[in-house]
Amino acid sequence: ATAAGDAEAARGYLEQVKRAALEVKPSRLAAPQRDVYLSTLRALTDLDDARGDYEAAIGNLGLYLEAGGRGELEVFRRRAELYGKAGDAMNALLQVETGLTYNGSDADLLKKKDSYYFSVTEEKLRSVREKVAGFFDVAYCVKKASAVLNAKTDDPDMLDWAVHLATLAAVVQPQ
């Protein structure tokens, strides 16, 4: 119980640092203070993730980016994972697509892209179609579905995936 109490006390101090920095405005902090603030946000992200508070972890990483935190590719990768844990495939996909703008050949992000496109439901995509049309990769869906169909597989799961991707592409570009 002492370790849990210590962790909560540490968390409380980190939250105080965060609140103080937000009160002052991170853009007005001197470089050493901003570094402490950025480290605090990363530590809070880890604590939030460990306790299953993915929304808070995602928010802290958003503040990290807003304050000029570096390592954007890794931040977007982490945010994708957190959205995935939270069951939000659409936002996880947005983070993956954003991360791929930093490195379009990142093997881990490309694997996550496959997973999150598979997990996005047609209903969810319809509900946010206008908002996501700018980043939703219709060409990817068509190319991947074609590749699966051209592989002449008789695996029903693979065929279902191809149909799913084609359906998603049609939701975003009905023509």
Side-chain angles (χ1 to χ4, degrees):
T2 310
D6 290 347
E8 280 308 304
R11 176 177 191 55
Y13 293 125
L14 292 169
E15 286 289 350
Q16 287 177 10
V17 170
K18 175 182 161 183
R19 277 194 301 277
L22 290 172
E23 187 72 29
V24 172
K25 304 284 184 255
S27 61
R28 296 177 54 201
L29 295 173
Q33 294 168 324
R34 193 172 74 245
D35 290 345
V36 168
Y37 172 61
L38 293 172
S39 295
T40 296
L41 292 172
R42 295 299 289 250
L44 284 169
T45 297
D46 292 342
L47 291 171
D48 292 334
D49 183 10
R51 70 185 197 162
D53 190 349
Y54 307 123
E55 190 174 308
I58 292 163
N60 284 322
L61 285 177
L63 292 172
Y64 177 85
L65 288 172
E66 287 172 20
R70 306 308 309 162
E72 293 90 346
L73 176 65
E74 293 309 315
V75 172
F76 287 111
R77 180 188 324 278
R78 181 84 185 273
R79 284 174 55 109
E81 292 166 357
L82 291 164
Y83 275 116
K85 288 179 182 180
D88 186 345
M90 183 59 71
N91 275 311
L93 183 56
L94 173 59
Q95 301 305 305
V96 165
E97 292 291 1
T98 305
L100 286 168
T101 64
Y102 290 90
N103 179 356
S105 62
D106 184 284
D108 177 59
L109 286 179
L110 291 170
K111 183 177 175 188
K112 284 176 174 38
K113 181 174 181 164
D114 284 345
S115 172
Y116 295 134
Y117 270 91
F118 179 78
S119 298
V120 168
T121 65
E122 179 183 350
E123 297 75 27
K124 179 62 178 177
L125 183 57
R126 277 191 200 289
S127 74
V128 296
R129 181 175 164 255
E130 299 303 318
K131 292 180 193 172
V132 303
F135 82 82
F136 196 86
D137 194 344
V138 172
Y140 160 84
C141 291
V142 172
K143 184 177 170 186
K144 199 65 128 169
S146 295
V148 169
L149 294 174
N150 289 335
K152 296 182 173 74
T153 180
D154 59 355
D155 179 348
D157 290 337
M158 292 299 286
L159 295 174
D160 286 347
W161 187 33
V163 170
H164 177 71
L165 290 172
T167 302
L168 294 180
V171 167
V172 177
Q173 285 186 358
Q175 68 283 16

